[in-house]
Amino acid sequence: MRLLYTVGSPFARLVRIAVLEKGLGEQVILHELTREQLYSAGSEVARINPIGRVPTLLLDDGTVLSESKVILDYVDALGSGPRLILRDGAEGRRCFAEMGQAYGLLDSVTVWLRALRLPEPDRPVEAIAHEERRLERAADALERTIRAGGYCGPLDAAQVILGTALGTADIRLRVWKWRQDRSSLSDWYDTIAGRPSFQATEPPPG
């Protein structure tokens, strides 16, 4: 298998974390692309995946998987490590609810980051303000959830996604002071960020 990714893509990062946590490092060939390569007219990703985004996972039989949710589900079924996506009973419902909350946070972080890449006169001020309000609500809810014991126990997909989202904000979206008045969320992130899989995939700033 070959995973195409960029170091700055948080969606690719969460898949890379899952690959490491599932013990698949020797089975998945990591193919890093620069942003310039990803968006070039001759992009290798676009040749095999018409959507042209990372992560893209090319299986040994030529099947192409795209979108982080799909790839995460596929990777989770492989390897010897514990399942990351819990499906049964109350734990399964909890895992899916927390995954949705974490993916929503990650999506808003990436929307804000994309807006900040635009020249200042072209930045959608109202859209940025909307995402900031959304993120503040989500972070407040996460603080309450973690204080109540959420996102705990053995590592699962919800924790991987949330850790990736907060890591993206912590490293690349410094204008959002998400740690302020959220000590439980901040402490939770600092703990998960110390895992080897998170350390090995940490994105560059900016």
Side-chain angles (χ1 to χ4, degrees):
M1 291 179 287
R2 189 158 61 104
L3 179 68
L4 286 75
Y5 73 99
T6 61
V7 293
S9 167
F11 296 99
R13 185 190 183 196
L14 69 88
V15 170
R16 291 161 61 208
I17 290 170
V19 165
L20 293 174
E21 293 288 348
K22 295 291 292 188
L24 296 170
E26 295 185 0
Q27 297 181 45
V28 179
I29 299 170
L30 298 178
H31 185 158
E32 180 186 338
L33 301 168
T34 64
R35 280 182 57 83
E36 291 73 22
Q37 290 171 327
L38 177 62
Y39 294 116
S40 70
S43 167
E44 181 178 359
V45 176
R47 286 202 303 272
I48 63 174
N49 173 9
I51 301 301
R53 291 197 299 229
V54 291
T56 291
L57 182 66
L58 179 62
L59 305 186
D60 294 338
D61 67 356
T63 301
V64 177
L65 302 184
S66 59
E67 302 303 318
S68 61
K69 297 181 182 70
V70 173
I71 299 174
L72 178 60
D73 197 13
Y74 183 82
V75 166
D76 188 39
L78 304 177
S80 58
R83 293 300 292 260
L84 297 173
I85 302 176
L86 309 178
R87 300 179 184 276
D88 299 327
E91 281 299 290
R93 292 191 294 274
R94 176 199 57 77
C95 183
F96 277 106
E98 291 180 353
M99 285 174 65
Q101 190 179 36
Y103 258 122
L105 187 81
L106 178 56
D107 184 64
S108 282
V109 167
T110 56
V111 168
W112 193 346
L113 279 172
R114 283 195 293 269
L116 291 179
R117 291 195 189 106
L118 297 172
E120 192 164 351
D122 299 330
R123 290 177 186 171
V125 176
E126 290 185 8
I128 289 174
H130 175 72
E131 295 304 330
E132 184 175 8
R133 290 192 297 270
R134 191 204 306 265
L135 283 168
E136 287 292 312
R137 288 197 309 269
D140 286 341
L142 285 163
E143 174 74 8
R144 294 191 295 269
T145 298
I146 287 174
R147 284 183 179 176
Y151 295 90
C152 64
L155 186 74
D156 63 17
Q159 294 177 48
V160 170
I161 299 163
L162 180 58
T164 301
L166 293 175
T168 303
D170 204 51
I171 296 167
R172 309 189 73 196
L173 190 62
R174 298 290 182 87
V175 295
W176 181 38
K177 308 300 181 185
W178 67 267
R179 290 180 181 266
Q180 187 173 333
D181 298 324
R182 300 185 184 106
S183 58
S184 296
L185 186 60
S186 181
D187 291 345
W188 181 92
Y189 169 70
D190 288 339
T191 298
I192 201 169
R195 292 181 73 92
S197 61
F198 277 79
Q199 292 285 309
T201 58
E202 185 172 296

